[in-house]
Amino acid sequence: MVPPPNPTPAGIVALLPKLSDADADIRYMSLNDLDNILKSANPGFLTNEYHTCAKTLECLLKTLDDTNGEVQNQAIKWAPSELLPPMIEKLSTLKTVNSVDTSIPATALRVFIMSFPRPGIGTQPTKSTQEAYTAISKVLIPRLVGYVVMPWGSMSRPGPPPGMLEVQDDGSIDTNAVDVLIELTRCFGSMLQDTEKKALQKSTLAIFDHPRTGTIAKKKAVSAISLLALYMSDTLLSAFVSNILESFRNPHLTAAQHRLLITMVGSLARTVPQRFGRYLKTLAPFILDPLSQQAYKSALEDTVESGAADTEAEEVREAALLALEGFLLSCSKDMRPYTNEVIQTAARFVAYDPNVAADGDDEEMGGTQDGEADDEEAEADETDEDFEEEGAVSDDDDISWKVRRCAAKALYAIISTRSNGDLLDNGVLYERIAPVLISRFQEREENVRLEVLSTLTALVRKTAANATMPFTFAGEIEFELTSAVEARSRKRRRLGSDATLFESPVNSTSIAGFTSPDASPPPSSGPRADLARLSSNIIRGVAKLLKQSTLATKQSGIVLLREIVTVQHGGLSEHFGKIAQPLIDAIKSPSAQSSSHSVGTATLASTGKLRIEALQLLIAVCDNHSSKLIAPYSSSLVPTVAAAVKDKYFKVSSEAIVAVESLIKVLTPPRSAGTEQVNRQYVETLYDVVLDRAVATDADVEVRQRAIHALGVLLSRGSEQSKVGGLSETQRTKATGVLLDRLRNETTRLSAVEAIDMYLSSCQDASNKQKQWTRDVALELGAQLRKANRRLRGASLAALRDLVGNPAALSCLDEKTVRATSGMLLPLVSANDLNLLGMALVILAKLVCQSPNSVVDPRLNAALCEVVIAPLGGAVLDALLVLLKVIGEQKVGQPLMQGLLQDVGVNGDPGIVGRAIGTLVFAGGTTVGVKLDDFVTELQSAPDDKRRCLALSVLGEAGYRLGPSSPLEPGLFTKYFNSKSQSLPRAAATALGRAGAGNVKTYLPVILSTTSKAGSSQYLSLHAIKEILQSTGQARSDILPYAQEIWEKLMTASQAEDNRAVGAECIGRLTVIEPKTFLPSLQKYLQDPSPSVRGMAIQATRFSLSDSDEGFDEVLRPMLIPMLISMLKDNNLENRRLALGVLNSATHNKPDMILPSLTDLVPLVMKESVVKPELIREVQMGPFKHKVDDGLEIRKLKSAYETLYTLMEGAYSRISPVDLFGRIIAGLVDDHEIKVLSNLMLSKLVYIDPEETGRHLDPIAERYRSILAFKPKENAVKQEIEKLNEANKGVLKVTLLFRDVLPGNASASHDLQGEKWKGYWDWVAKDFRSQVASVEQEMRSQTA
């Protein structure tokens, strides 16, 4: 029914009789119509009509007692806010007669409470919110507790009936009333007064104290108390904890009460960890007491005497271990003093099994004793039988397995919170926890066994994360795939030869698994060494589990083995024979293993997961072990994996294809050199199955894409091998035809490009068939450059680069194909995308060498002229200069030179345009139409400074490339040092240094003589020296005779403030050239009493880190950490800011030196990220006072928070997550730039460590709410509004990211941890609906 535009009381009265109709459908529709009418009416509609209001209320209450469930549900949803007090009172006293569901009134109350307007944290409640709270305070709270808590008005009112939370004499209580209390606290906890909180707390605690109260009621009461704690003041919380302590000290405390108290304490730790942690100093001993060694022995003795364990005592131990887990996860910093005791306790009870005699059987697989192989094999069958018999033990009264499981969870919590640069590095986890876990592999209860395996797997994963490995920063891998020029080594970038621009960023022979891994021994110390010492015991234990355990245990064991292989880069060499057959059996389909009987759907699903994990283990084994280890099992592995490729379950098939790739690498040279004949049948089997999946139309898209990729691997490995072991010509032709066909298909295009790229990198075939195929591929790859998909364009460009970089493939291209391909590259010759531009220039350079007249045309010349105008630098500029050099050498550069001189000229940056022209002049010689003397003349006769600057740049570049044969003299440049022009002296200094880099012996003495002069000449000479130091490649030996003189000149010149920055850069680059001499001197300057000298030394250190070589690293290694610590402890604020920049640079460029010492460095960085009140001062600005924070710059970008961001990305496993999150959360309310960076860090951490992120949702929600609730002043300027909008947008982005990645915390779950986050999310979803929708749309478009 459509509601009338102007509802009247008569319309409502007409509907009320229908609510009592005999037809349930009519009653339901009448309720729905009534709801629509009241929603469309004025807010005070019912209030103004007393009789209508009373009748409506009476009829509505009757429908709550309806015999039809749908009518009841509709009535529950209906909640007119005008009648809140009488409605609440009626509902709280309603007794249902017709309904069998007695929870209907309480459910209606909860729905009403949820529908009320809620208060926002940190914001003033609205009028409607205040009215809702008033109704609850007046009616509902007295009804819950049984007495009036807050007096409202002076009129005497009758007392409320007995409280809904009151416990009857027989211990009965309506548990639905506790649900009402939970919902009331969740929605209006922030508005409750202290007296109301005390009353509700008292009534809830009475449920605990009554000995006959049911378990369900007590569990709900724990949740209610924990939720109340969220809104307790510090005074109330302290008093409540004091009451708990008194209860613990009660000598007459029963086991049931003890368990409830422990449960309550654990729940409080999870709910209010930041406030509760301070009380653990007094509470923790009471939790640890029932878990002491004495209690452990007493429990075993009592079990022996009575023949059965004390169930209540076991429940107390279980609760205590769960509480410890909560303490460790939520209050890890406060639990540090109890680390040793907690480890002892958890290790003790993970083996607690009073029903099994403690005769040492459990140590059979544990400890660190290595049994003899022969004895182990002889006892294998007997061990299996014993295990099966143990697994058959069943005792319904035995709940000790819950204690063991909780102990394993506690150990997991220790590992997850104390690994980062802590207990893992000092060996505690492997010395005290790992052996205990290994000894429990034969646990008879599967739930416990799975928890043990999961805990040990977590320890191995932490070891992997903590290994000293090169940093991989976000986006770096993808960048390498799309940019050839940026893939070169970080070291000595300015010194590399032009040839390095043509190298593939990822050599096909260096990809994981292509070559047999080196059997390098594990490190002598550290977590990996600890793992290596226990690996044999772990592998033997898991091997036994794989033979006769359940699917879940097998899967967990396989995951553990895979992690060990990944961390150790091997480790199964001595034990692969024990797991080979179980691994093969796990990969096989259920039908192949049990063809005699049917297999259920659930079993198929579980088996599918097991098979995927088994395939992943096989991949890890193949990629990390020698082919000789796997070769004996090829006859079983290849058919099994080939059958898995054809599996109907696409995830299994997809993973099997990846396994096929690994097997191909194992079975083909160079890894299997000399065994081609033996392996040929296996390679052909894999070829057939991969080719079949690549062309199958009924296969899943992911399966086809991976099959195409595997086909590329097979072609790259088998195309040019010996005739005996490689693929035949027919097979290669068919496979390459499939790749070309798949390249033309939209769904498989990207995979085909990557497969073709691999093949082209290794192809040496130049036959006629290959020539036509290569030409077709080149044209298709060029066509993909017009696509909108950036990843496809990058991959296609990379494939073209590898094509032209392979002489055999390049020779297949004819002139027509070269012309067409170069034309397709022209749209990329633009400064709009520098990543693609660099690679396109590299490809064009190769094509010019192949067919210069086909490539160099007016279109390319015009495009290059446009590019030269852009502000280029780094590797892209190097690629441009290489192309110009090739054009000049091929004698086709005259039209381009005319364009550069006439169309570009002084329109671009003289530094870039001049280098381009100088390179072309040098390479083209007389063929470009101009000579070097023409630019000398231009320099001397040009009427304006721009033309002179351009001429200087051209001469400098030409002088650099001509080297000692250059006719240019230093005086040609130095005479412009005294020019009154603003730009000419600087251009002359840069050109002088550039020319001097090619002829050091002639230029450097002149420059050093100029350095002795004070003023601008000295400053310009420093710039010339800087250009020489960063441009010199092979001529480093020419600099060494002058090194000491340069050092002395630099140290003297750098004393001037204007020279300090450029002088520091020169000192840093000179240190790289002669580190043994100058690095100790630089370290000595860090102790200089002058802050400016120390600052210069700090800056010089930073410049020495980015362009250094291995010789420099050897000298730097023992000195870097002491230098960094000295810098970060400098008493000068500006020097500490510079030191953070040095640490940031060192983290990027020298991670192997930084990682082992992060425990010493990170606290110093954390210290600088804290707001220091002593650095905040007041400044008088006219009639106003303004606060200035002198410590802001050291916290902002390029300083503390950016360093934390860098460390988080590359070395999170070595940083305390609690400390890191503390600084990030503090940064959310700091300066705008820090706020943005903190948001960015959270967006990364949600993927790096989702568990820890979930534990900090509540404090994050508080900061986010304050950011979104902030309202700018009316006179706020545009910049302030833009910053506010940017901050709000960033908050909403991270909020949505949390919702997607952590769905459990953003949902309506009743888990108390994250309660504030749930309230925050509800508020955002309601009050920021349009902004959220806009941000969601933007995030989707970015993802697409």
Side-chain angles (χ1 to χ4, degrees), residues 302-321:
D302 293 343
T303 302
V304 173
E305 292 178 2
S306 62
D310 185 350
T311 303
E312 291 188 343
E314 303 284 31
E315 291 177 347
V316 171
R317 296 184 190 100
E318 178 191 0
L321 288 166

PDB file of all heavy atoms in Angstrom, residues 302-321:
ATOM      1  N   ASP A 302      46.759 -36.662  41.399  1.00  0.00           N
ATOM      2  CA  ASP A 302      45.333 -36.855  41.680  1.00  0.00           C
ATOM      3  C   ASP A 302      44.707 -37.771  40.649  1.00  0.00           C
ATOM      4  O   ASP A 302      43.835 -38.587  40.959  1.00  0.00           O
ATOM      5  CB  ASP A 302      44.610 -35.507  41.687  1.00  0.00           C
ATOM      6  CG  ASP A 302      45.044 -34.628  42.853  1.00  0.00           C
ATOM      7  OD1 ASP A 302      45.633 -35.179  43.812  1.00  0.00           O
ATOM      8  OD2 ASP A 302      44.812 -33.406  42.801  1.00  0.00           O
ATOM      9  N   THR A 303      45.125 -37.634  39.398  1.00  0.00           N
ATOM     10  CA  THR A 303      44.574 -38.488  38.343  1.00  0.00           C
ATOM     11  C   THR A 303      44.961 -39.941  38.580  1.00  0.00           C
ATOM     12  O   THR A 303      44.156 -40.859  38.391  1.00  0.00           O
ATOM     13  CB  THR A 303      45.084 -38.016  36.968  1.00  0.00           C
ATOM     14  OG1 THR A 303      44.716 -36.652  36.773  1.00  0.00           O
ATOM     15  CG2 THR A 303      44.480 -38.857  35.862  1.00  0.00           C
ATOM     16  N   VAL A 304      46.208 -40.161  38.995  1.00  0.00           N
ATOM     17  CA  VAL A 304      46.666 -41.526  39.261  1.00  0.00           C
ATOM     18  C   VAL A 304      45.894 -42.133  40.435  1.00  0.00           C
ATOM     19  O   VAL A 304      45.478 -43.297  40.402  1.00  0.00           O
ATOM     20  CB  VAL A 304      48.178 -41.535  39.546  1.00  0.00           C
ATOM     21  CG1 VAL A 304      48.628 -42.921  39.999  1.00  0.00           C
ATOM     22  CG2 VAL A 304      48.954 -41.125  38.291  1.00  0.00           C
ATOM     23  N   GLU A 305      45.664 -41.330  41.467  1.00  0.00           N
ATOM     24  CA  GLU A 305      44.982 -41.843  42.657  1.00  0.00           C
ATOM     25  C   GLU A 305      43.508 -42.117  42.398  1.00  0.00           C
ATOM     26  O   GLU A 305      42.958 -43.151  42.785  1.00  0.00           O
ATOM     27  CB  GLU A 305      45.138 -40.852  43.803  1.00  0.00           C
ATOM     28  CG  GLU A 305      46.568 -40.740  44.321  1.00  0.00           C
ATOM     29  CD  GLU A 305      46.684 -39.705  45.421  1.00  0.00           C
ATOM     30  OE1 GLU A 305      45.644 -39.124  45.787  1.00  0.00           O
ATOM     31  OE2 GLU A 305      47.812 -39.476  45.910  1.00  0.00           O
ATOM     32  N   SER A 306      42.825 -41.168  41.754  1.00  0.00           N
ATOM     33  CA  SER A 306      41.374 -41.298  41.563  1.00  0.00           C
ATOM     34  C   SER A 306      41.005 -42.042  40.293  1.00  0.00           C
ATOM     35  O   SER A 306      39.863 -42.470  40.135  1.00  0.00           O
ATOM     36  CB  SER A 306      40.722 -39.912  41.544  1.00  0.00           C
ATOM     37  OG  SER A 306      41.223 -39.149  40.452  1.00  0.00           O
ATOM     38  N   GLY A 307      41.933 -42.159  39.378  1.00  0.00           N
ATOM     39  CA  GLY A 307      41.643 -42.839  38.120  1.00  0.00           C
ATOM     40  C   GLY A 307      40.957 -41.952  37.097  1.00  0.00           C
ATOM     41  O   GLY A 307      40.654 -42.396  36.005  1.00  0.00           O
ATOM     42  N   ALA A 308      40.681 -40.700  37.435  1.00  0.00           N
ATOM     43  CA  ALA A 308      40.032 -39.765  36.506  1.00  0.00           C
ATOM     44  C   ALA A 308      40.466 -38.356  36.867  1.00  0.00           C
ATOM     45  O   ALA A 308      40.717 -38.034  38.029  1.00  0.00           O
ATOM     46  CB  ALA A 308      38.513 -39.883  36.565  1.00  0.00           C
ATOM     47  N   ALA A 309      40.563 -37.502  35.872  1.00  0.00           N
ATOM     48  CA  ALA A 309      40.983 -36.125  36.093  1.00  0.00           C
ATOM     49  C   ALA A 309      39.829 -35.302  36.656  1.00  0.00           C
ATOM     50  O   ALA A 309      38.650 -35.610  36.432  1.00  0.00           O
ATOM     51  CB  ALA A 309      41.467 -35.509  34.778  1.00  0.00           C
ATOM     52  N   ASP A 310      40.170 -34.270  37.397  1.00  0.00           N
ATOM     53  CA  ASP A 310      39.188 -33.341  37.957  1.00  0.00           C
ATOM     54  C   ASP A 310      38.730 -32.403  36.836  1.00  0.00           C
ATOM     55  O   ASP A 310      39.491 -31.545  36.385  1.00  0.00           O
ATOM     56  CB  ASP A 310      39.815 -32.566  39.104  1.00  0.00           C
ATOM     57  CG  ASP A 310      38.805 -31.667  39.813  1.00  0.00           C
ATOM     58  OD1 ASP A 310      37.688 -31.512  39.286  1.00  0.00           O
ATOM     59  OD2 ASP A 310      39.139 -31.122  40.884  1.00  0.00           O
ATOM     60  N   THR A 311      37.489 -32.554  36.417  1.00  0.00           N
ATOM     61  CA  THR A 311      36.984 -31.781  35.274  1.00  0.00           C
ATOM     62  C   THR A 311      37.006 -30.288  35.558  1.00  0.00           C
ATOM     63  O   THR A 311      37.392 -29.488  34.701  1.00  0.00           O
ATOM     64  CB  THR A 311      35.558 -32.225  34.919  1.00  0.00           C
ATOM     65  OG1 THR A 311      35.562 -33.619  34.649  1.00  0.00           O
ATOM     66  CG2 THR A 311      35.063 -31.472  33.709  1.00  0.00           C
ATOM     67  N   GLU A 312      36.586 -29.889  36.750  1.00  0.00           N
ATOM     68  CA  GLU A 312      36.555 -28.459  37.072  1.00  0.00           C
ATOM     69  C   GLU A 312      37.961 -27.864  37.085  1.00  0.00           C
ATOM     70  O   GLU A 312      38.176 -26.733  36.632  1.00  0.00           O
ATOM     71  CB  GLU A 312      35.865 -28.246  38.420  1.00  0.00           C
ATOM     72  CG  GLU A 312      34.361 -28.543  38.393  1.00  0.00           C
ATOM     73  CD  GLU A 312      33.682 -28.144  39.687  1.00  0.00           C
ATOM     74  OE1 GLU A 312      34.405 -27.954  40.691  1.00  0.00           O
ATOM     75  OE2 GLU A 312      32.456 -28.012  39.698  1.00  0.00           O
ATOM     76  N   ALA A 313      38.910 -28.621  37.631  1.00  0.00           N
ATOM     77  CA  ALA A 313      40.286 -28.129  37.643  1.00  0.00           C
ATOM     78  C   ALA A 313      40.835 -27.990  36.224  1.00  0.00           C
ATOM     79  O   ALA A 313      41.575 -27.043  35.919  1.00  0.00           O
ATOM     80  CB  ALA A 313      41.158 -29.070  38.460  1.00  0.00           C
ATOM     81  N   GLU A 314      40.456 -28.933  35.335  1.00  0.00           N
ATOM     82  CA  GLU A 314      40.893 -28.834  33.938  1.00  0.00           C
ATOM     83  C   GLU A 314      40.311 -27.587  33.277  1.00  0.00           C
ATOM     84  O   GLU A 314      40.981 -26.908  32.483  1.00  0.00           O
ATOM     85  CB  GLU A 314      40.447 -30.079  33.156  1.00  0.00           C
ATOM     86  CG  GLU A 314      40.946 -31.406  33.720  1.00  0.00           C
ATOM     87  CD  GLU A 314      42.408 -31.663  33.399  1.00  0.00           C
ATOM     88  OE1 GLU A 314      43.165 -30.686  33.288  1.00  0.00           O
ATOM     89  OE2 GLU A 314      42.783 -32.832  33.272  1.00  0.00           O
ATOM     90  N   GLU A 315      39.062 -27.276  33.602  1.00  0.00           N
ATOM     91  CA  GLU A 315      38.443 -26.085  33.027  1.00  0.00           C
ATOM     92  C   GLU A 315      39.125 -24.820  33.510  1.00  0.00           C
ATOM     93  O   GLU A 315      39.243 -23.838  32.766  1.00  0.00           O
ATOM     94  CB  GLU A 315      36.955 -26.067  33.378  1.00  0.00           C
ATOM     95  CG  GLU A 315      36.150 -27.152  32.669  1.00  0.00           C
ATOM     96  CD  GLU A 315      34.688 -27.159  33.086  1.00  0.00           C
ATOM     97  OE1 GLU A 315      34.371 -26.484  34.088  1.00  0.00           O
ATOM     98  OE2 GLU A 315      33.883 -27.827  32.418  1.00  0.00           O
ATOM     99  N   VAL A 316      39.578 -24.819  34.775  1.00  0.00           N
ATOM    100  CA  VAL A 316      40.315 -23.664  35.287  1.00  0.00           C
ATOM    101  C   VAL A 316      41.622 -23.498  34.519  1.00  0.00           C
ATOM    102  O   VAL A 316      42.006 -22.385  34.136  1.00  0.00           O
ATOM    103  CB  VAL A 316      40.584 -23.831  36.799  1.00  0.00           C
ATOM    104  CG1 VAL A 316      41.540 -22.736  37.284  1.00  0.00           C
ATOM    105  CG2 VAL A 316      39.285 -23.779  37.586  1.00  0.00           C
ATOM    106  N   ARG A 317      42.319 -24.585  34.268  1.00  0.00           N
ATOM    107  CA  ARG A 317      43.584 -24.515  33.522  1.00  0.00           C
ATOM    108  C   ARG A 317      43.335 -24.039  32.091  1.00  0.00           C
ATOM    109  O   ARG A 317      44.110 -23.241  31.553  1.00  0.00           O
ATOM    110  CB  ARG A 317      44.262 -25.891  33.519  1.00  0.00           C
ATOM    111  CG  ARG A 317      44.671 -26.363  34.909  1.00  0.00           C
ATOM    112  CD  ARG A 317      45.427 -27.682  34.854  1.00  0.00           C
ATOM    113  NE  ARG A 317      45.594 -28.219  36.196  1.00  0.00           N
ATOM    114  CZ  ARG A 317      44.847 -29.175  36.716  1.00  0.00           C
ATOM    115  NH1 ARG A 317      43.892 -29.750  35.997  1.00  0.00           N
ATOM    116  NH2 ARG A 317      45.057 -29.590  37.954  1.00  0.00           N
ATOM    117  N   GLU A 318      42.272 -24.550  31.502  1.00  0.00           N
ATOM    118  CA  GLU A 318      41.943 -24.101  30.146  1.00  0.00           C
ATOM    119  C   GLU A 318      41.673 -22.602  30.117  1.00  0.00           C
ATOM    120  O   GLU A 318      42.176 -21.878  29.242  1.00  0.00           O
ATOM    121  CB  GLU A 318      40.715 -24.864  29.635  1.00  0.00           C
ATOM    122  CG  GLU A 318      40.270 -24.438  28.248  1.00  0.00           C
ATOM    123  CD  GLU A 318      38.912 -25.012  27.875  1.00  0.00           C
ATOM    124  OE1 GLU A 318      38.317 -25.742  28.703  1.00  0.00           O
ATOM    125  OE2 GLU A 318      38.438 -24.713  26.759  1.00  0.00           O
ATOM    126  N   ALA A 319      40.883 -22.121  31.076  1.00  0.00           N
ATOM    127  CA  ALA A 319      40.577 -20.685  31.135  1.00  0.00           C
ATOM    128  C   ALA A 319      41.837 -19.872  31.372  1.00  0.00           C
ATOM    129  O   ALA A 319      42.026 -18.783  30.790  1.00  0.00           O
ATOM    130  CB  ALA A 319      39.555 -20.413  32.233  1.00  0.00           C
ATOM    131  N   ALA A 320      42.737 -20.369  32.233  1.00  0.00           N
ATOM    132  CA  ALA A 320      43.968 -19.642  32.528  1.00  0.00           C
ATOM    133  C   ALA A 320      44.852 -19.532  31.287  1.00  0.00           C
ATOM    134  O   ALA A 320      45.433 -18.472  31.011  1.00  0.00           O
ATOM    135  CB  ALA A 320      44.715 -20.330  33.663  1.00  0.00           C
ATOM    136  N   LEU A 321      44.956 -20.602  30.530  1.00  0.00           N
ATOM    137  CA  LEU A 321      45.765 -20.569  29.313  1.00  0.00           C
ATOM    138  C   LEU A 321      45.151 -19.653  28.258  1.00  0.00           C
ATOM    139  O   LEU A 321      45.867 -18.946  27.532  1.00  0.00           O
ATOM    140  CB  LEU A 321      45.943 -21.986  28.769  1.00  0.00           C
ATOM    141  CG  LEU A 321      46.892 -22.877  29.589  1.00  0.00           C
ATOM    142  CD1 LEU A 321      46.732 -24.339  29.192  1.00  0.00           C
ATOM    143  CD2 LEU A 321      48.338 -22.438  29.402  1.00  0.00           C
TER     144      LEU A 321
END
